[in-house]
C-alpha cells in the first residue's frame, strides 16, 4: 500500500530525474541500512525506502503513482522546522541543536463537518472531592452533555475504590440528555482513589464505539493520588494510545500527583492541566470539548529516526497545549486542530562532527485525517546541518525559537529547583526559585513571581515547600509557553 | 563548553539559555559585552549626589514619574511597571534604557531594577543586578520591593538618579 509522499521518503522533489532517484536511494539506504542503524524504526524505514525506490525507478509505476497522488490532492499534513543553527562549527566536543517543528493541515476540509467525538469522562468521587469541587464538576459535566452534537458519543464514569458507569456510551437525543443529567446530579463523594478501575471502565466504554473516523478521548478529573496501581495505569495508557485513544488530565487542588498524571497523559499525546479553584473546571471542560470538535488530524505520531551518534535529549509540546513528550523513537502528539498549528520542541545532542553536510535525524510524521477518510498519512522531513571549520559570525537563531525557548527555560528553572529539593540541596533550590522570580518579574508576570519568591523564602527559612505553590509555579510557567499563532513565522524557505 | 556570562555556569556548546539562571546565551562572536563589575570600595558606597535640575513633584501631572539623570530628565507615565536597564544583545529592550546615558560604563545591568506603581505607591525592586541598587545610600536586597518617596536618590551600580513622582 502506498503511504503518503514517496519522494519525501527518498528526500527528493517530485520532479527528480531518474539519476536523482538513484543517488537519493543510495544515500537513504546508507543512513538506514540495518548494518548502520540498529534501531527497529530504521529497519522499517529501510523497508519503506526500498519499496519507494522500486515504485519510482520504474517509469510506468512512477507515472501511475504520480497520477494517484495528484488525485488524492497531495499530502494532508505539512511539517516545517526551524533550527537553532543551520551551520555548526567543527568542534572536538558534543553540541546541542534545537529544532522547532511546526505541523499544520496542508489541505482544507472546506465545509466538511468536524469528525464526531467519542468521549469518556472519568470523575474521581473520592471523599476529598466532597462539596464545592464535586458540585462544580457536576455542573460542568451537565453543561458538557448539553454541548454535545447529535453524532457525538459520551460516557460518564465515577470512581473511588471501585468504578461506576453513570452513563454508558451513547449518542444523545434531548430526552437522553435530560436523563443523563439527572444521573449526574446524583453523584456523591465517598471512598478512596483507585484510578486504575476508573480508567479501565472509561476505556471499556470508549471501545464500544471505537472507530478510526472519530476522535476517541478520555478525560480524567482527579484531586488525589492513586497508590500502588500507577504502573498498571501507565501500561493501560500505552495500550489506549496504541488503540488510537488519547487521554487528558485535570488536576484539582494540591494533593494530586502531577508527575504521574503528566506521564500518563503524555504517553497518549495528551496533556494535563492544573486548576487551583473549582470554578475553573467549567472552562477546562468547555475548552477541551471545543478543541476535540475542531480536530483535523488524529493520532499524530512523530517518529524520530536518529542518525549515527545523535541523541534526542528532550521533547516538549509547545502549542497548542504545552506538555512534556516522551523521548522514545515514537513520540505521540495527539490531535492536530484545524486552526492552530501543533508545535514541538526537540533538543538533540550532536556528536563530534567532521566538516561537511551531515544528516541529524529524519522526522516521519504519521496521522489519520478522519474528515477525509484517510488513515496512516505520512510525511517526511530530514534535519541536516552543515559543519564548517571556521564559523563566521553566525546568524542569530530564529526569533520564534528564541521566544519558545525563553519561556521553556523559565519552566525548566523551576523543574531544576524541585530536583534540587529532592536531592536535599534546599539552598540551591531557593536560589533557583528566586532567580526564576526575577525572570518572571522582568517578563511581566508579577503574580507568579510573587509565588516563586515566597517559596524561595519558605525554603530558606522553614526548609519546606508548599505543594500548592509548587503546582502553581509548575503549571503557571508551563501555561506561558504556547506561542501565539502570529508569532509562528517559520522561515518558508525551509519548508 | 560555553560559559554563561551572568552566572558562570558551564553549558554544552550550542545551548541557548543558561540552565542555572535562565540568561540568553547566544552572542555574535567578538561582541561579548557583559555588565561591567566594580570592586566595591568605601568611596563607591557614598551616595553620589545629583546636581541635575528637572521637574519637581509640583510640576508633575497625576500619574507621572520623573527620573532626573545627570543633565537630563525622563518622564514616565501610562504603565504600571517599568524595567530600568540598558541595551543587551537580546532584542528585548528595558522600558527605561540607560545605554544612551552611559549606563553600561556605569555598571547598569540589562535588567537592573523595576519600578512598580502599586495603589498610588511607587515600589523599587532590584532585579538581581550585577552591581546592586542603592536607595538613599543603602543597598537593596535583590527581589525585595521597597517603597519610594518623591525626591529619593537612587543609584544603579555607579549610575545616580533622583526620582520625583505624583501618583
Amino acid at each position: 500500500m502506498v503511504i503518503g509522499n514517496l519522494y519525501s521518503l527518498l528526500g527528493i522533489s517530485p520532479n527528480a530525474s531518474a539519476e536523482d532517484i538513484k543517488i537519493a536511494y543510495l544515500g537513504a539506504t546508507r543512513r538506514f541500512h540495518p548494518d548502520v542503524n540498529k534501531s527497529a524504526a530504521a529497519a522499517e524505514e529501510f523497508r519503506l525506502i526500498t519499496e519507494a525506490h522500486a515504485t519510482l525507478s520504474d517509469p510506468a509505476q512512477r507515472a501511475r503513482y504520480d497520477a494517484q497522488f495528484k488525485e488524492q490532492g497531495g499530502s494532508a499534513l505539512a511539517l516545517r522546522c526551524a533550527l537553532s543553527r543551520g551551520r555548526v562549527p567543527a568542534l572536538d566536543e558534543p553540541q546541542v541543536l534545537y529544532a522547532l517543528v511546526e505541523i499544520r493541515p496542508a489541505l482544507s476540509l472546506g465545509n466538511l463537518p468536524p469528525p464526531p467525538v467519542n468521549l469518556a469522562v472519568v470523575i474521581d468521587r473520592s471523599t476529598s472531592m466532597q462539596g464545592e469541587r464535586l458540585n462544580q464538576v457536576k455542573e460542568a459535566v451537565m453543561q458538557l452533555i448539553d454541548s454535545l452534537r447529535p453524532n457525538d458519543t459520551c460516557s460518564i464514569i465515577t470512581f473511588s475504590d471501585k468504578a461506576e458507569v453513570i452513563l454508558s456510551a451513547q449518542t444523545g437525543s434531548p430526552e437522553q440528555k435530560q436523563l443523563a443529567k439527572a444521573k449526574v446530579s446524583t453523584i456523591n463523594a465517598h471512598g478512596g482513589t483507585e484510578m486504575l478501575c476508573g480508567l479501565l471502565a472509561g476505556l471499556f466504554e470508549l471501545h464500544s464505539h471505537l472507530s478510526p473516523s472519530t476522535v476517541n478521548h478520555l478525560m480524567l478529573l482527579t484531586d488525589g493520588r492513586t497508590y500502588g496501581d500507577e504502573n498498571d495505569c501507565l501500561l493501560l495508557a500505552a495500550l489506549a494510545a496504541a488503540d488510537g485513544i488519547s487521554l487528558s488530565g485535570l488536576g484539582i487542588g494540591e494533593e494530586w500527583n502531577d508527575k504521574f498524571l503528566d506521564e500518563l497523559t503524555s504517553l497518549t499525546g495528551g496533556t494535563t492541566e492544573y486548576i487551583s479553584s473549582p470554578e475553573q473546571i467549567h472552562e477546562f471542560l468547555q475548552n477541551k470539548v471545543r478543541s476535540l470538535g475542531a480536530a483535523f488530524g488524529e493520532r499524530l505520531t512523530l517518529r524520530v529516526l536518529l542518525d549515527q551518534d545523535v541523541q534526542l535529549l528532550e521533547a516538549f509540546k509547545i502549542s497548542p497545549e504545552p506538555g512534556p513528550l516522551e523521548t522514545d523513537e515514537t513520540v505521540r502528539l495527539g490531535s492536530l486542530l484545524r486552526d492552530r498549528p501543533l508545535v514541538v520542541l526537540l533538543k538533540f545532542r550532536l556528536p563530534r562532527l567532521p566538516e561537511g553536510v551531515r544528516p541529524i535525524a529524519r522526522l516521519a510524521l504519521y496521522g489519520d485525517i478522519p474528515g477525509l477518510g484517510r488513515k496512516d498519512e505520512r510525511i517526511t522531513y530530514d534535519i541536516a546541518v552543515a559543519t564548517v571549520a571556521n564559523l563566521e559570525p553566525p546568524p542569530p537563531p530564529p526569533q520564534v525559537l528564541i521566544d519558545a525557548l525563553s519561556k521553556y527555560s523559565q519552566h525548566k528553572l523551576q523543574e531544576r529547583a524541585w530536583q534540587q529539593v529532592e536531592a536535599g540541596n534546599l539552598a540551591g533550590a531557593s536560589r533557583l526559585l528566586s532567580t526564576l522570580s526575577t525572570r518572571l518579574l522582568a517578563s511581566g508576570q508579577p503574580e507568579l513571581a510573587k509565588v516563586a519568591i515566597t517559596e524561595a523564602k519558605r525554603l530558606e527559612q522553614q526548609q519546606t515547600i508548599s505543594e500548592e505553590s509548587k503546582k502553581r509555579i509548575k503549571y503557571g510557567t508551563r501555561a506561558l509557553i504556547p506561542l501565539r499563532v502570529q508569532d509562528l513565522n517559520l522561515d518558508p524557505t525551509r519548508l | 563548553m560555553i560559559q554563561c556570562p551572568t552566572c558562570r555556569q558551564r553549558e554544552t556548546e550550542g545551548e541557548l539559555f543558561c540552565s542555572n539562571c535562565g540568561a540568553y546565551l547566544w552572542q555574535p562572536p567578538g561582541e561579548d559585552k557583559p555588565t561591567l563589575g566594580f570592586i566595591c570600595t568605601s568611596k563607591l558606597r557614598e551616595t553620589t549626589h545629583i546636581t541635575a535640575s528637572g521637574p519637581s513633584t509640583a510640576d508633575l501631572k497625576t500619574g507621572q514619574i520623573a527620573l532626573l539623570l545627570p543633565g537630563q530628565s525622563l518622564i514616565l507615565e501610562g504603565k504600571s511597571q517599568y524595567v530600568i536597564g540598558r541595551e543587551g544583545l537580546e532584542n528585548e529592550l528595558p522600558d527605561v534604557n540607560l545605554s544612551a546615558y552611559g549606563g553600561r560604563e556605569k555598571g547598569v545591568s540589562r535588567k537592573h531594577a523595576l519600578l512598580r506603581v502599586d495603589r498610588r505607591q511607587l515600589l523599587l525592586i532590584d532585579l538581581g543586578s550585577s552591581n546592586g541598587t542603592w536607595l538613599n545610600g543603602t543597598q537593596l536586597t535583590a527581589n525585595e520591593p521597597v517603597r519610594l518617596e518623591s525626591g529619593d536618590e537612587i543609584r544603579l551600580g555607579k549610575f545616580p538618579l533622583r526620582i520625583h513622582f505624583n501618583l
Side-chain angles (χ1 to χ4, degrees):
Chain A
M1 137 137 199
V2 175
I3 351 172
N5 188 335
L6 294 187
Y7 293 98
S8 71
L9 264 166
L10 296 176
I12 47 178
S13 76
N15 49 25
S17 69
E19 184 64 19
D20 293 340
I21 292 175
K22 197 170 144 197
I23 295 171
Y25 172 65
L26 288 175
T29 50
R30 224 171 310 161
R31 282 176 72 191
F32 302 107
H33 194 282
D35 288 348
V36 180
N37 200 323
K38 308 274 182 212
S39 75
E44 165 76 2
E45 192 70 11
F46 184 74
R47 193 181 61 77
L48 292 173
I49 289 167
T50 311
E51 281 177 17
H53 177 249
T55 305
L56 297 181
S57 58
D58 178 308
Q61 281 194 52
R62 181 178 175 184
R64 220 168 336 165
Y65 164 76
D66 283 348
Q68 192 191 352
F69 192 60
K70 199 175 165 194
E71 195 186 319
Q72 281 187 340
S75 295
L77 298 168
L79 183 153
R80 51 187 183 177
C81 215
L83 299 180
S84 56
R85 33 185 175 177
R87 280 179 305 157
V88 301
L91 293 176
D92 245 4
E93 58 183 71
Q95 320 187 24
V96 294
L97 179 78
Y98 287 97
L100 196 69
V101 181
E102 185 212 44
I103 299 160
R104 284 177 188 270
L107 295 175
S108 165
L109 288 183
N111 290 326
L112 277 176
V117 175
N118 177 23
L119 176 71
V121 186
V122 177
I123 304 164
D124 180 350
R125 65 168 192 109
S126 59
T127 314
S128 55
M129 286 289 285
Q130 200 148 31
E132 186 62 6
R133 284 182 187 168
L134 197 59
N135 286 342
Q136 293 282 354
V137 167
K138 279 154 74 170
E139 227 168 87
V141 169
M142 286 193 238
Q143 266 167 342
L144 179 147
I145 292 172
D146 275 332
S147 67
L148 292 173
R149 297 159 302 178
N151 55 349
D152 291 338
T153 316
C154 179
S155 60
I156 293 162
I157 292 96
T158 61
F159 71 97
S160 53
D161 311 310
K162 58 182 194 320
E164 198 178 332
V165 179
I166 299 292
L167 182 69
S168 62
Q170 55 186 275
T171 49
S173 67
E175 299 78 41
Q176 280 168 320
K177 281 186 176 181
Q178 279 309 323
L179 191 65
K181 287 197 282 184
K183 282 185 173 172
V184 168
S185 69
T186 64
I187 300 173
N188 56 28
H190 181 72
T193 305
E194 282 181 32
M195 211 170 274
L196 184 66
C197 63
L199 287 179
L200 265 172
L203 291 173
F204 184 80
E205 292 301 321
L206 282 175
H207 267 276
S208 67
H209 286 73
L210 201 62
S211 152
S213 59
T214 58
V215 178
N216 305 302
H217 190 79
L218 186 148
M219 238 185 252
L220 175 67
L221 287 77
T222 181
D223 74 339
R225 277 168 191 266
T226 185
Y227 288 100
D229 58 4
E230 283 102 338
N231 286 336
D232 291 338
C233 288
L234 294 175
L235 212 61
L236 204 57
L239 288 173
D243 287 336
I245 298 169
S246 60
L247 263 67
S248 64
L250 177 70
I252 308 165
E254 59 274 14
E255 292 292 313
W256 58 284
N257 186 344
D258 51 314
K259 231 172 162 172
F260 167 67
L261 228 56
D262 270 340
E263 196 181 347
L264 186 80
T265 50
S266 72
L267 275 170
T268 69
T271 49
T272 294
E273 287 177 52
Y274 160 67
I275 55 167
S276 52
S277 79
E279 301 89 68
Q280 296 162 281
I281 294 171
H282 174 73
E283 202 188 325
F284 168 84
L285 282 186
Q286 288 300 318
N287 283 341
K288 206 75 219 174
V289 168
R290 201 172 308 132
S291 65
L292 288 174
F296 173 85
E298 272 300 301
R299 302 169 273 280
L300 262 68
T301 306
L302 188 66
R303 219 173 242 195
V304 185
L305 293 132
L306 300 168
D307 282 274
Q308 212 170 7
D309 298 326
V310 176
Q311 281 175 281
L312 178 62
L313 297 178
E314 290 169 37
F316 197 91
K317 196 197 270 186
I318 300 284
S319 297
E321 295 147 334
L325 296 169
E326 300 290 308
T327 47
D328 298 340
E329 247 172 12
T330 302
V331 185
R332 296 204 185 268
L333 301 177
S335 314
L336 171 65
L337 302 184
R338 290 180 176 211
D339 51 355
R340 289 200 63 187
L342 198 157
V343 183
V344 173
L345 181 71
L346 301 175
K347 179 180 179 180
F348 297 101
R349 183 181 189 273
L350 312 185
R352 274 189 253 171
L353 298 172
E355 276 179 64
V357 176
R358 184 191 198 281
I360 299 303
R362 166 167 285 196
L363 307 180
L365 178 74
Y366 290 86
D368 298 345
I369 320 295
L372 296 172
R374 292 212 209 168
K375 253 184 81 70
D376 287 329
E377 183 82 17
R378 163 176 167 144
I379 47 166
T380 313
Y381 187 95
D382 281 308
I383 297 178
V385 293
T387 311
V388 287
N390 279 315
L391 198 61
E392 307 144 31
Q399 189 58 42
V400 61
L401 186 72
I402 300 173
D403 291 345
L405 265 175
S406 70
K407 297 287 164 34
Y408 179 62
S409 70
Q410 277 185 2
H411 182 62
K412 297 275 288 181
L413 275 179
Q414 60 85 37
E415 208 162 84
R416 235 175 110 105
W418 313 130
Q419 282 165 2
Q420 293 295 325
V421 171
E422 274 177 30
N425 178 6
L426 301 187
S430 170
R431 191 179 44 74
L432 282 164
L433 286 175
S434 104
T435 306
L436 174 66
S437 169
T438 312
R439 297 268 159 209
L440 288 168
L441 209 53
S443 63
Q445 300 293 333
E447 289 302 313
L448 210 51
K450 213 161 105 190
V451 182
I453 196 70
T454 312
E455 257 349 79
K457 283 202 180 126
R458 196 199 310 274
L459 263 175
E460 202 175 62
Q461 290 158 5
Q462 302 166 23
Q463 281 80 48
T464 168
I465 47 169
S466 134
E467 272 300 318
E468 194 204 339
S469 301
K470 181 179 162 183
K471 290 201 170 74
R472 277 184 70 182
I473 296 167
K474 175 175 175 181
Y475 290 92
T477 53
R478 187 187 281 184
L480 298 175
I481 295 176
L483 292 163
R484 293 176 307 168
V485 177
Q486 60 265 38
D487 292 335
L488 276 167
N489 193 13
L490 301 195
D491 183 1
T493 58
R494 296 198 56 88
L495 242 169
Chain B
M1 293 299 244
I2 50 174
Q3 200 172 40
C4 170
T6 311
C7 72
R8 307 279 143 208
Q9 166 88 2
R10 289 170 79 80
E11 300 284 356
T12 314
E13 181 73 34
E15 194 55 78
L16 288 179
F17 284 86
C18 173
S19 65
N20 185 53
C21 73
Y24 183 47
L25 298 174
W26 188 85
Q27 286 172 341
E31 279 190 45
D32 182 3
K33 282 190 182 175
T35 304
L36 294 179
F38 293 112
I39 299 156
C40 220
T41 62
S42 57
K43 199 175 166 211
L44 243 174
R45 270 191 221 107
E46 290 164 23
T47 314
T48 317
H49 290 283
I50 300 169
T51 48
S53 60
S56 66
T57 314
D59 301 328
L60 295 173
K61 292 191 209 112
T62 308
Q64 283 188 329
I65 301 166
L67 296 183
L68 278 55
L69 318 177
Q72 184 98 23
S73 56
L74 304 174
I75 304 286
L76 313 178
E77 64 180 319
K79 289 183 71 169
S80 63
Q81 55 180 32
Y82 304 89
V83 176
I84 309 177
R86 64 169 174 88
E87 279 166 23
L89 292 162
E90 299 165 54
N91 290 341
E92 243 174 292
L93 283 179
D95 300 305
V96 181
N97 180 1
L98 296 178
S99 289
Y101 312 104
R104 199 183 90 82
E105 293 70 23
K106 292 193 171 108
V108 176
S109 293
R110 293 178 182 115
K111 284 171 186 164
H112 196 111
L114 182 79
L115 282 174
R116 191 193 303 157
V117 182
D118 187 3
R119 280 161 289 174
R120 308 194 63 198
Q121 294 186 351
L122 189 60
L123 305 177
L124 175 67
I125 304 149
D126 177 77
L127 297 175
S129 62
S130 303
N131 294 306
T133 302
W134 275 259
L135 174 60
N136 299 324
T138 313
Q139 187 175 4
L140 305 185
T141 310
N143 303 313
E144 273 186 24
V146 292
R147 196 160 68 83
L148 294 177
E149 302 283 353
S150 195
D152 275 345
E153 283 187 351
I154 298 169
R155 191 153 54 75
L156 309 171
K158 278 206 287 191
F159 194 106
L161 55 95
R162 190 193 294 278
I163 193 159
H164 286 296
F165 55 90
N166 177 9
L167 297 172

